[in-house]
């Protein structure tokens, strides 16, 4: 089993007090079409909710008119000390415990992340770089490394309490932080690899993957 520090190593070392990220840009190129005018609108049906580590996530969300159900909620921790980094929730049109089925599906998917501590841009860059490298290996998986580096270079620092939302569609993905649209990924293949960093062979932790898949 891979060490937890190999993947998604965000915020493990230095908590950063830098200013909060602005919508100046998180995505570029294929990864293109940065459009701050289009705000992602989500309506939440919160008749019931799931709670973990003090974070509550609704059992369902409506994204662009499509109702999604919470598939699983998980806690990202680091080291034997159990340092809490973030709580993530995976929303699907149809619940599934099979990662390959989810990754291959053209249906809308949402990954909702609430950060529980500050994460410096440097640590976030290292985390994403390892995530892409360990979860997308030729010949079964490949993306343009230049696109990966452009994506990573624009990832900002995040802070305790920040909310990140990644909406995956058959056309790509769009990302928001604290309700502000950061950019659109217009390459469906790159978007799948992005989700693969959470559900692929080397996720942030094996337990987080199982939790997102609703296996725990």
């Amino acid at each position: 089993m891979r060490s937890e520090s190999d993947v998604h190593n965000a915020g493990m070392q230095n908590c950063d007090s830098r200013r909060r990220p602005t919508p100046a840009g998180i995505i570029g190129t294929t990864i293109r079409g940065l459009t701050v005018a289009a705000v992602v609108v989500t309506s939440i049906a919160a008749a019931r909710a799931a709670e973990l580590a003090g974070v509550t996530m609704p059992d369902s969300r409506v994204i662009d008119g499509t109702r999604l159900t919470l598939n699983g909620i998980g806690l990202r921790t680091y080291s034997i000390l159990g340092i809490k980094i973030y709580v993530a929730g995976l929303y699907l049109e149809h619940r599934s415990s099979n990662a390959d089925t989810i990754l291959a599906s053209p249906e809308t998917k949402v990954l909702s992340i609430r950060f529980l501590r500050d994460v410096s841009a440097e640590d976030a860059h290292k985390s994403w770089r390892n995530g892409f490298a360990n979860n997308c290996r030729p010949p079964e998986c490949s993306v343009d490394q230049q696109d990966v580096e452009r994506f990573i270079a624009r990832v900002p620092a995040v802070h305790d309490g920040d909310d990140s939302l990644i909406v995956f569609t058959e056309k790509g993905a769009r990302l928001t932080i604290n309700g502000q649209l950061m950019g659109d990924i217009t390459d469906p293949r790159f978007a799948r690899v992005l989700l693969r960093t959470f559900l692929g062979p080397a996720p942030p932790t094996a337990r987080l993957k199982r939790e997102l898949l609703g296996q725990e």
Side-chain angles (χ1 to χ4, degrees), residues 155-192:
V155 171
V158 292
H159 300 267
D160 181 6
D162 281 353
D163 285 300
S164 176
L165 199 71
I166 310 176
V167 179
F168 299 90
T169 69
E170 61 181 350
K171 296 181 180 179
R174 59 184 187 262
L175 292 83
T176 65
I177 293 182
N178 298 326
Q180 295 181 313
L181 183 66
M182 305 303 293
D184 290 330
I185 293 173
T186 59
D187 181 349
R189 184 178 59 177
F190 192 96
R192 284 194 296 272

Side-chain angles (χ1 to χ4, degrees), residues 30-32 103 105-106 109 142-143 168-173 185-196:
T30 109
I31 312 177
R32 63 183 180 274
L103 290 168
S105 171
K109 298 170 280 286
S142 63
V143 290
F168 299 90
T169 69
E170 61 181 350
K171 296 181 180 179
I185 293 173
T186 59
D187 181 349
R189 184 178 59 177
F190 192 96
R192 284 194 296 272
V193 175
L194 191 69
L195 183 57
R196 190 177 169 90

Side-chain angles (χ1 to χ4, degrees), residues 105-127:
S105 171
E107 294 183 342
T108 300
K109 298 170 280 286
V110 167
L111 190 65
S112 178
I113 300 174
R114 166 70 66 84
F115 286 91
L116 302 178
R117 66 186 293 112
D118 294 355
V119 179
S120 70
E122 180 182 1
D123 283 338
H125 293 176
K126 181 180 179 181
S127 164

Side-chain angles (χ1 to χ4, degrees), residues 42 44 55-58 61 63 68 70 72-74 86-91 109-115 162-168 176 195 198 208 212:
T42 67
I44 298 175
V55 176
T56 301
M57 291 196 177
R61 291 177 180 267
I63 306 291
L68 308 178
L70 182 63
I73 182 172
Y86 59 75
V87 170
L90 177 64
Y91 290 83
K109 298 170 280 286
V110 167
L111 190 65
S112 178
I113 300 174
R114 166 70 66 84
F115 286 91
D162 281 353
D163 285 300
S164 176
L165 199 71
I166 310 176
V167 179
F168 299 90
T176 65
L195 183 57
F198 291 88
L208 176 63
L212 292 177

Side-chain angles (χ1 to χ4, degrees), residues 6-179:
D6 287 342
V7 197
H8 278 232
N9 223 355
M12 314 311 123
Q13 301 171 9
N14 298 320
C15 297
D16 189 45
S17 59
R18 286 182 249 183
R19 63 183 178 82
R20 288 181 176 271
T22 67
I26 185 173
I27 317 297
T29 85
T30 109
I31 312 177
R32 63 183 180 274
L34 184 63
T35 53
V36 295
V39 177
V40 177
V41 178
T42 67
S43 64
I44 298 175
R48 294 182 299 135
E51 189 275 335
L52 181 62
V55 176
T56 301
M57 291 196 177
D59 275 357
S60 65
R61 291 177 180 267
V62 178
I63 306 291
D64 299 334
T66 300
R67 182 174 294 277
L68 308 178
T69 301
L70 182 63
N71 193 71
I73 182 172
L75 174 64
R76 169 62 164 117
T77 60
Y78 173 71
S79 87
I80 60 174
L81 299 177
I83 299 172
K84 298 175 182 178
I85 308 302
Y86 59 75
V87 170
L90 177 64
Y91 290 83
L92 305 175
E93 290 187 43
H94 298 92
R95 296 185 66 181
S96 174
S97 60
N98 188 295
D100 291 337
T101 298
I102 295 170
L103 290 168
S105 171
E107 294 183 342
T108 300
K109 298 170 280 286
V110 167
L111 190 65
S112 178
I113 300 174
R114 166 70 66 84
F115 286 91
L116 302 178
R117 66 186 293 112
D118 294 355
V119 179
S120 70
E122 180 182 1
D123 283 338
H125 293 176
K126 181 180 179 181
S127 164
W128 280 111
R129 186 170 288 109
N130 288 337
F132 277 104
N134 292 325
N135 288 283
C136 187
R137 296 180 176 179
E140 71 278 2
C141 178
S142 63
V143 290
D144 190 325
Q145 190 59 34
Q146 290 184 340
D147 288 339
V148 171
E149 290 302 322
R150 277 189 282 266
F151 170 86
I152 290 172
R154 290 168 173 80
V155 171
V158 292
H159 300 267
D160 181 6
D162 281 353
D163 285 300
S164 176
L165 199 71
I166 310 176
V167 179
F168 299 90
T169 69
E170 61 181 350
K171 296 181 180 179
R174 59 184 187 262
L175 292 83
T176 65
I177 293 182
N178 298 326

